[in-house]
Amino acid sequence: MNGSKSGREHWGSKVGFVFAAAGSAIGLGNIWKFPYLTGQHGGGAFVLIYIICILVLGLPIMIAEIVIGRHTEKDPVGAFKIIGGGGRWTAVGYLGVLSGFFILSYYSVVGGWTLGYIVKTITGVVGGITDTSSAEAVFSAFIKNPVEMVLYHFLFMALTVWIVLGGVKNGIEKWNKFLLPILFVIIIVLIVRGLTMEGASRGLAFYLKPDFSRVTVFTVIEALGQCFFSLSLGMGAMITYGSYLSKSDKTLDSSLQIAGLDTMAAFLSGLAIFPAVYAVGMTPAKGPGLTFNILPVVFSRMAYGNVFALLFFVLLFIAALTSAMSLLEVTVAYSTDEKGWGRRKSVLIFGSLIFLLGIPSSLSFNVLSDVKIFFGLTFFDFMDKLTTIYMLPVGGLLIAICLGWKYGLRNTMHELDTDTGLQFLKKIWAFAIKYVSPVILVLIILYFGVYRMLVP
Ligand code: PHE
């Protein structure tokens, strides 16, 4: 296949595309970051602000990416050759491919942790954790072991590679259609468990009681940044997935469904986590701390905790895996479209390179923990910050400018179709892409990339 339009793979169905894109969006960001941000920043007030951010920034950029993908039927680099008229704008495509490459290299390390904890739950290690200090001891022994770190990173990458080798329809689509329903079922089981525990209401209050006094301008920017990462925007994942759409699929309706599923998963994760955390008398934390130092203790204090622990780590694993597929597919689309490589060659070469780049990240917690490569950051932290704070927002900004001002929306308006009477949204979208999104993205870059780096 050399990327000619006739040879391009397509999704088997519109639902398949929506599931795959939602699988990309629903990731670790939804499960371990959104709930905590919400609890910290005013509960219900934050949820409301987050939803507005999705509507104002997330959806317009998501639609733009899907439209660019379906219009050009190309990987991000090929897409920007077309809409940027060749020349310098092509760099936006390369930036996207590079972002996918970088993000997957450390995302896979964390994906490996979820695998490790599935194994630790089955072998009874997690069941033996009864307080936070033993939880911390287990987690730190785990990440301090370089061999285990690299091994689990390898396993996670190998699984991602294996699925993406199957192709768009028989690999990515098939697995997302299988895994995403499981993910939602697990969240719901965990919610029912948490809410039926005694004392759950305090967790609910922490999570959702609106507290507008906690809301500042920074809260809003925090929500904007979170929605951008959570929807997998700014690097061409949605351009790539959109490029496999057929012309009869409705882009506007799909985009709404994808953003809706992503927001629902994020919101429900908080409902699954906080009531249980408070019911056993603990208080939450963010990110890895919540997942690996607090939740194991919570599970050990509930009846059948082992079963729920297993379900939870499987949930995290699924969320990470379906996002990883999209990250790898961006680099694969680039090499098949631009270099004319076959899928097999692309997946194996890029999968191996990403695995290798992930090794210094897996060693950032042990052998290389003292190696600070920039601003006192370990390799892992550096890759994380570089991509989420700089590369994605800059990518998003350039996508909006290129489509809105350089190529012109008129040329792509026909790609924005709907069969549910949402015509009026088209004008709003055009306004958002040309004016609103660029301004907001510049603010995000200034806040996270300059202000927060200097004043942590
Ligand atoms: N959206 C994913 C998450 O929430 C992360 C991601 C970002 C995936 C960019 C693909 C591209 O974890």
Side-chain angles (χ1 to χ4, degrees):
M1 247 191 288
N2 58 9
S4 69
K5 288 199 175 183
S6 54
R8 195 171 191 76
E9 250 199 284
H10 286 292
W11 301 107
S13 63
K14 199 194 104 177
V15 183
F17 163 68
V18 171
F19 271 47
S24 167
I26 300 170
L28 297 168
N30 299 58
I31 296 169
W32 81 21
K33 193 141 180 236
F34 176 85
Y36 188 75
L37 277 180
T38 305
Q40 277 276 294
H41 290 283
F46 185 82
V47 174
L48 201 75
I49 292 170
Y50 183 79
I51 291 173
I52 297 172
C53 292
I54 293 272
L55 295 177
V56 172
L57 177 74
L59 256 180
I61 299 282
M62 163 164 292
I63 294 172
E65 286 201 25
I66 294 175
V67 158
I68 292 173
R70 195 179 82 162
H71 183 64
T72 58
E73 295 191 66
K74 286 283 179 211
D75 70 294
V77 171
F80 276 90
K81 276 187 191 155
I82 295 171
I83 71 161
R88 268 180 288 175
W89 284 104
T90 310
V92 185
Y94 282 107
L95 181 70
V97 175
L98 205 63
S99 305
F101 193 90
F102 283 2
I103 295 177
L104 185 52
S105 75
Y106 69 84
Y107 206 83
S108 160
V109 173
V110 183
W113 296 356
T114 66
L115 269 179
Y117 266 67
I118 290 176
V119 173
K120 283 189 193 306
T121 308
I122 295 172
T123 53
V125 177
V126 170
I129 294 175
T130 47
D131 54 35
T132 23
S133 56
S134 59
E136 277 162 23
V138 168
F139 184 55
S140 99
F142 179 53
I143 60 174
K144 284 210 167 92
N145 182 333
V147 179
E148 259 187 297
M149 282 296 100
V150 175
L151 192 73
Y152 280 118
H153 162 52
F154 175 80
L155 277 178
F156 186 87
M157 250 341 270
L159 270 171
T160 311
V161 160
W162 178 70
I163 290 173
V164 176
L165 269 180
V168 175
K169 193 164 131 198
N170 294 322
I172 298 174
E173 176 172 350
K174 191 180 89 185
W175 279 97
N176 274 291
K177 272 165 117 172
F178 174 64
L179 292 173
L180 217 58
I182 299 181
L183 177 138
F184 276 100
V185 169
I186 295 181
I187 297 187
I188 288 166
V189 171
L190 293 174
I191 292 177
V192 172
R193 169 72 279 212
L195 286 180
T196 49
M197 287 169 82
E198 209 173 314
S201 58
R202 265 175 301 146
L204 265 187
F206 166 78
Y207 185 38
L208 293 177
K209 195 160 164 258
D211 180 358
F212 281 93
S213 70
R214 295 248 192 110
V215 175
T216 63
V217 184
F218 299 134
T219 318
V220 179
I221 304 182
E222 199 75 59
L224 286 167
Q226 170 68 9
C227 95
F228 204 72
F229 181 76
S230 187
L231 289 176
S232 305
L233 301 176
M235 52 153 285
M238 295 298 158
I239 296 179
T240 307
Y241 274 12
S243 76
Y244 304 125
L245 276 171
S246 62
K247 296 289 179 194
S248 57
D249 295 322
K250 305 289 182 269
T251 49
L252 198 51
D253 308 341
S254 314
S255 308
L256 285 168
Q257 287 157 2
I258 297 161
L261 285 170
D262 185 60
T263 308
M264 200 153 80
F267 178 74
L268 293 179
S269 298
L271 278 187
I273 293 171
F274 292 132
V277 169
Y278 277 84
V280 301
M282 304 197 55
T283 43
K286 143 170 106 178
L290 172 68
T291 307
F292 299 106
N293 295 337
I294 294 181
L295 289 179
V297 187
V298 174
F299 293 125
S300 77
R301 294 186 189 171
M302 60 168 77
Y304 303 106
N306 255 332
V307 177
F308 294 105
L310 187 62
L311 284 176
F312 178 77
F313 289 114
V314 169
L315 164 73
L316 266 188
F317 166 67
I318 293 177
L321 185 65
T322 51
S323 297
M325 295 172 200
S326 70
L327 291 161
L328 182 57
E329 182 61 23
V330 172
T331 62
V332 170
Y334 159 71
S335 46
T336 47
D337 284 354
E338 304 307 311
K339 303 260 167 256
W341 296 359
R343 170 165 290 270
R344 205 181 155 74
K345 178 176 169 192
S346 303
V347 176
L348 291 177
I349 290 186
F350 273 102
S352 311
L353 290 175
I354 292 170
F355 165 69
L356 290 177
L357 184 66
I359 291 180
S361 284
S362 24
L363 299 181
S364 290
F365 305 91
N366 38 70
V367 188
L368 299 179
S369 61
D370 290 328
V371 181
K372 304 285 150 72
I373 64 165
F374 199 72
F375 263 98
L377 299 170
T378 62
F379 191 78
F380 178 96
D381 290 334
F382 173 72
M383 290 308 254
D384 175 20
K385 290 240 163 14
L386 174 70
T387 50
T388 53
I389 297 183
Y390 299 100
M391 293 173 78
L392 296 185
V394 169
L397 175 66
L398 296 174
I399 289 171
I401 296 177
C402 187
L403 184 65
W405 295 93
K406 165 87 182 138
Y407 192 60
L409 296 170
R410 207 172 297 242
N411 297 321
T412 46
M413 260 315 175
H414 61 280
E415 302 287 354
L416 188 65
D417 45 13
T418 163
D419 47 23
T420 43
L422 295 168
Q423 294 295 342
F424 70 99
L425 284 181
K426 291 186 179 180
K427 282 219 170 74
I428 303 181
W429 174 70
F431 182 76
I433 284 299
K434 284 187 81 162
Y435 305 101
V436 184
S437 313
V439 172
I440 294 180
L441 284 161
V442 167
L443 279 179
I444 291 182
I445 294 163
L446 290 177
Y447 174 72
F448 287 107
V450 181
Y451 177 77
R452 279 279 289 272
M453 286 307 271
L454 301 175
V455 191

